[in-house]
Amino acid sequence: KQEVTQIPAALSVPEGENLVLNCSFTDSAIYNLQWFRQDPGKGLTSLLLIQSSQREQTSGRLNASLDKSSGRSTLYIAASQPGDSATYLCAVKGDNYGQNFVFGPGTRLSVLP
Amino acid sequence: DGGITQSPKYLFRKEGQNVTLSCEQNLNHDAMYWYRQDPGQGLRLIYYSQIVNDFQKGDIAEGYSVSREKKESFPLTVTSAQKNPTAFYLCASSTQGSGSQNEQFFGPGTRLTVL
């Protein structure tokens, strides 16, 4: 059974720092991996989607990488801002039809002004 | 605007009551999902549907029921059999199949509280 973990559970950094969030998964037979952002009391917002055949995806200050063989993904946030404060979750989808998304517990990020 | 709507935003349930949470999408997605989120925990899958008139139990289906009569709609009923229903409920949808991205999109959520 697929298990997804995220390290660290919480992170506090000063504004302007570059930072890395980590996501690990136990079964490398995935279809894709998706990174989300969740603000308190809100739904999840999709940030980046990496297909299993891809190594990385970029959107603005965000860069996500995928190493399927080692079961790892990282989300790199450049020049962090207070508005980046949120919980970041990763989710993987199995590559067999009907397999669903498995979510990690999230990393709670605080960017201090 | 394309997206997923959930209603109501807040819902209060008395003991022994059934309540229904609404989820509608206009993204033309085949697959829809219901998740439960408890404080400090990740998302847990309640039910999912890959096509109209078909749905499957997720990891925590006991005490919940769903229907999928239309592609756009996937309502969730929290029955009196669910002993601890207080939580944040999230609906999501995605494309399905090997020829598509299968990117998942979420609604804004419904917070259910038992009185």
Side-chain angles (χ1 to χ4, degrees):
Chain A
K1 182 183 174 183
Q2 179 76 270
E3 292 184 3
V4 180
T5 55
Q6 292 186 246
I7 294 173
L11 181 63
S12 185
V13 300
E15 181 177 5
E17 269 202 12
N18 302 326
L19 58 99
V20 174
L21 307 181
N22 297 290
C23 172
S24 297
F25 47 95
T26 55
D27 185 350
S28 62
I30 65 169
Y31 186 85
N32 64 31
L33 183 145
Q34 197 169 354
W35 281 95
F36 296 89
R37 168 190 173 130
Q38 186 178 30
D39 294 290
K42 306 290 186 184
L44 277 65
T45 299
S46 179
L47 297 174
L48 289 165
L49 174 74
I50 311 177
Q51 300 296 342
S52 62
S53 59
Q54 297 174 324
R55 296 284 293 181
E56 66 178 343
Q57 285 286 340
T58 298
S59 176
R61 294 183 294 108
L62 305 180
N63 175 277
S65 67
L66 174 64
D67 184 343
K68 207 171 71 165
S69 60
S70 68
R72 294 180 183 175
S73 176
T74 61
L75 178 66
Y76 175 82
I77 302 177
S80 59
Q81 304 170 357
D84 294 330
S85 298
T87 297
Y88 291 81
L89 298 98
C90 67
V92 297
K93 188 180 194 311
D95 66 0
N96 290 324
Y97 182 80
Q99 283 191 298
N100 290 304
F101 300 85
V102 179
F103 284 80
T107 293
R108 190 171 66 252
L109 172 65
S110 297
V111 181
L112 307 175
Chain B
D1 275 339
I4 303 174
T5 58
Q6 291 187 242
S7 63
K9 186 173 181 180
Y10 299 99
L11 185 58
F12 298 92
R13 192 193 94 167
K14 294 181 181 178
E15 295 284 345
Q17 239 182 6
N18 292 353
V19 292
T20 297
L21 284 60
S22 169
C23 178
E24 304 276 334
Q25 55 100 359
N26 62 5
L27 301 169
N28 199 33
H29 287 168
D30 286 317
M32 296 188 74
Y33 312 82
W34 274 107
Y35 294 93
R36 169 179 172 143
Q37 187 176 36
D38 293 282
Q41 297 190 28
L43 275 67
R44 293 185 289 170
L45 183 65
I46 305 172
Y47 267 98
Y48 64 99
S49 169
Q50 295 172 326
I51 197 169
V52 174
N53 292 323
D54 185 53
F55 48 83
Q56 306 294 330
K57 293 181 179 180
D59 300 321
I60 56 166
E62 184 174 353
Y64 300 97
S65 66
V66 294
S67 63
R68 185 87 187 275
E69 297 176 1
K70 299 186 299 183
K71 188 175 186 177
E72 305 80 25
S73 179
F74 191 40
L76 173 74
T77 296
V78 184
T79 75
S80 57
Q82 171 50 240
K83 297 307 178 189
N84 185 23
T86 295
F88 191 49
Y89 290 86
L90 289 159
C91 178
S93 71
S94 74
T95 54
Q96 185 77 3
S98 59
S100 65
Q101 283 201 314
N102 288 201
E103 184 174 7
Q104 200 168 38
F105 295 90
F106 280 79
T110 292
R111 185 164 300 281
L112 173 62
T113 303
V114 173
L115 300 175

